[in-house]
Amino acid sequence: MFCVPGDRLCVADDKNLGGRGTFLKGSYIYAALAGKVNIIENKDENIFEVMPHGNFVRKIPQVGDVVTCQVEKIVSNQCKCLIKCIADSVLKQPFKAIIRKEDVRATDKDNVELYTCFRPGDIILAKIIGLSESGYLLSTASNEFGVVIARSENGVLMVPVSWTEMMCPEFKVKETRKVARIAIESDSNASTSSKQSNNNF
């Protein structure tokens, strides 16, 4: 049997124990890697392990990876996303992930309102910090993580104007976001290049 990270393998009890490539959450043992499930059967217990299968594991997001995601929807205290890329590598299939309210910012966590940070359709940069039944757990707490591409309610591509706002250049309407540093720096560089080009004419 093959598995991917987050797959529930079995109930954890005195007879079933988790081994290499697994993690325990609640009353269940889950896969922490992609690969083949190996069950070591002893007299009084079974040990569940996940053995990496060739290069397959390299195509699967892992804890610590920096990933590019698309926001699907905001529900309760979670932002549901799909992981589309690991670093600069585009995945053949997306993986489900969530950003919990407490993982959006490094400070003032209690006052975070998810809908003022992300909107469905936004492209965000985040870091994988764990696994859960709902998918990968992501964090945008660092300044380098957050929204990199977003469209306004009118469908216009917006530009960042601060760490917490993006603006529709056509209608001059601002919307709140948790903006990634890379988005701000890219826009700043583009503005500088534009000014230099204008000065040359």
Side-chain angles (χ1 to χ4, degrees):
M1 180 177 73
F2 288 91
C3 64
V4 296
D7 279 356
R8 183 188 294 180
L9 303 181
C10 66
V11 174
D13 52 27
D14 293 337
K15 185 176 181 180
N16 297 321
L17 305 176
R20 291 178 297 174
T22 68
F23 68 95
L24 180 67
K25 183 176 181 181
S27 301
Y28 295 93
I29 296 171
Y30 294 86
L33 299 173
K36 184 178 181 180
V37 178
N38 182 38
I39 304 174
I40 302 173
E41 297 181 354
N42 296 321
K43 183 178 179 180
D44 299 320
E45 61 188 23
N46 297 321
I47 300 176
F48 286 75
E49 295 182 334
V50 178
M51 309 303 293
H53 181 65
N55 293 328
F56 183 50
V57 69
R58 298 182 183 179
K59 301 177 183 178
I60 302 296
Q62 302 289 338
V63 173
D65 284 345
V66 174
V67 295
T68 302
C69 317
Q70 184 169 26
V71 176
E72 280 198 299
K73 58 182 177 179
I74 311 294
V75 292
S76 184
N77 291 324
Q78 297 180 348
C79 172
K80 294 191 174 184
C81 311
L82 288 177
I83 298 175
K84 299 293 187 73
C85 304
I86 302 175
D88 296 328
S89 300
V90 179
L91 297 170
K92 290 184 178 180
Q93 64 179 45
F95 290 85
K96 292 182 179 180
I98 59 172
I99 304 174
R100 300 173 299 188
K101 180 180 178 180
E102 60 267 30
D103 296 322
V104 173
R105 298 185 186 279
T107 59
D108 202 23
K109 297 181 179 183
D110 293 336
N111 294 320
V112 169
E113 294 183 8
L114 283 175
Y115 205 71
T116 65
C117 300
F118 312 111
R119 300 283 180 89
D122 287 356
I123 303 299
I124 63 173
L125 197 64
K127 186 174 184 178
I128 299 176
I129 58 172
L131 297 164
S132 73
E133 290 184 63
S134 302
Y136 290 92
L137 298 177
L138 305 178
S139 171
T140 58
S142 173
N143 286 340
E144 63 189 293
F145 302 130
V147 178
V148 291
I149 299 175
R151 292 186 178 276
S152 68
E153 293 183 355
N154 295 309
V156 179
L157 195 65
M158 296 195 292
V159 295
V161 293
S162 72
W163 293 102
T164 58
E165 289 183 318
M166 301 185 88
M167 184 177 72
C168 170
E170 184 175 339
F171 297 98
K172 307 302 179 185
V173 176
K174 294 180 181 179
E175 295 183 15
T176 57
R177 292 292 197 281
K178 198 286 185 184
V179 184
R181 177 163 54 195
I182 187 173
I184 294 175
E185 291 177 347
S186 296
D187 185 65
S188 176
N189 292 336
S191 298
T192 301
S193 298
S194 177
K195 289 179 181 179
Q196 291 175 344
S197 297
N198 290 335
N199 290 335
N200 291 332
F201 290 94

